[in-house]
Amino acid sequence: MSATDKTHEAEPGERAAQSEQTERTERRRVFADLTPLRTSAHYRRLWFGNTVSWVGQGMTALAVSLQVYEITRSPFSVGLVGLFSLVPLIVFGLYGGAIADTVDRRRLGLASATGSAVLSAALATAAFAGFHRVWFLYAIVALQSVCGALNSPARTSMIPRLLPPEQLRAANALNSMTTTFGTLVGPSLGGLIVGFAGFQTAYLIDAVAFSAALYAMWRLPSMLPERTGTAKRASVLDGLRFLATRPNLRMTFFSDFCAMILAHPRALFPVVAVLWYDGDATTTGLLAAAPAAGALLGGVVSGWQGRIRHHGQAILIAVACWGTAIAVFGLTRELWLGLLLLALAGYSDTVSMIFRNTMMQVAAPDEMRGRLQGVFIVVVAGGPRLGDFLAGSVADLTSPAVAVTGGGLACVLAIGVLALFARGFRRYDALDPTA
């Protein structure tokens, strides 16, 4: 037997050993899988740029609220900041997805990120010049939301073009850490900077922070959608029709509605802090931070998720865990236990979100990914607001305990009913994805 024959005989054994080693590594993995950051320089730059810009945007969001209150001394005026941010995000979310399925996504990402950077620079310039007008701040916030509604579908639909399908779950876990880290760190850092150096410095840092995202976008190759049809322009209605014919993808949205609408007690935190825990604004802040801390942990400790093949089952279980944690939270009157339960809910939400995003990216064709992300933006932006309204209304008619615990139980019941009828969703296999 020749040396060449011996080499060919050894190759299958080597592959088997490598496969066994990979399986052992997966079993031992606890923390987030960093493979996407190691294997794709494009994704690595995009992830880093997005992380920096999320922190900067969190700084600006808090700085604008503080500046509006300093000008008006009106809590209502501060609340309008959220409204001017929410409405454009919902209105332009669907259209942003359609645009991302029509044009070069790289160019759209560059243009929208540049717009956000220019708007932050405009805030800094106005603050340096002493131009303090509430209408100007509202206008900038609204325009920033428009840029965000255009940027998010473009950026998210690029990721499946940068990574192989088996790395998308890990990439979504890393992306969840970016979002949560920015939500936690950005406002805290913004408050410190405004206190020490003024609004203009916070806005200026945010404008400069966008340079990382712009550089990442600039280094990307062209990202034209891969179309199978002859239409030159992607239609929002075509995207909704596509979603109507894809039961597994529809279920990712329905399951999220169960959690965000039926069991979302965020609006009751100020009341709960006083009535249940005899606390104050600090207690309210802890209640608000607990789900975010759990969500960040969900991204950090996400290595085990790589062993899960049935993503639909994982989503159903995660949403049921969210509802259960919220229901028990409504029964406890110990602050430490309440914070722990809210953190558990946040962890469950991240697990659900990772698998939902992965299913959308893998099971949907490239020409539809932007529009599905647009629908996702509308759900994520609008769902919690509906949940706030429902929780507040039920609490006003009954009590906060009934609103929180009843909402959690309703979430578990609703997701159970969906699981009963959605057989295909329960059987969804990541190795054989179907929409």
Side-chain angles (χ1 to χ4, degrees), residues 208-297:
V208 174
F210 274 105
S211 61
L214 290 171
Y215 176 73
M217 292 279 186
W218 179 70
R219 289 292 302 272
L220 289 172
S222 176
M223 288 278 180
L224 285 168
E226 297 174 350
R227 299 192 188 93
T228 57
T230 58
K232 294 182 180 180
R233 186 183 296 261
S235 165
V236 173
L237 291 178
D238 286 344
L240 295 176
R241 292 190 190 103
F242 170 82
L243 187 60
T245 61
R246 299 300 189 273
N248 287 337
L249 293 180
R250 284 202 313 274
M251 270 296 297
T252 63
F253 295 106
F254 291 156
S255 62
D256 193 39
F257 275 137
C258 290
M260 293 298 99
I261 296 178
L262 298 177
H264 200 260
R266 178 183 61 186
L268 302 180
F269 285 163
V271 178
V272 164
V274 175
L275 295 182
W276 294 0
Y277 305 117
D278 194 25
D280 51 16
T282 302
T283 308
T284 303
L286 290 173
L287 293 173
L296 181 60
L297 182 64

Side-chain angles (χ1 to χ4, degrees), residues 5 9 30 84 106 192 199 203 207 253 261 327 338-339 376 395 403:
D5 293 333
E9 280 188 350
V30 175
F84 277 98
R106 172 184 174 272
L192 290 174
F199 302 110
Y203 298 144
F253 295 106
I261 296 178
L339 295 176
F376 179 78

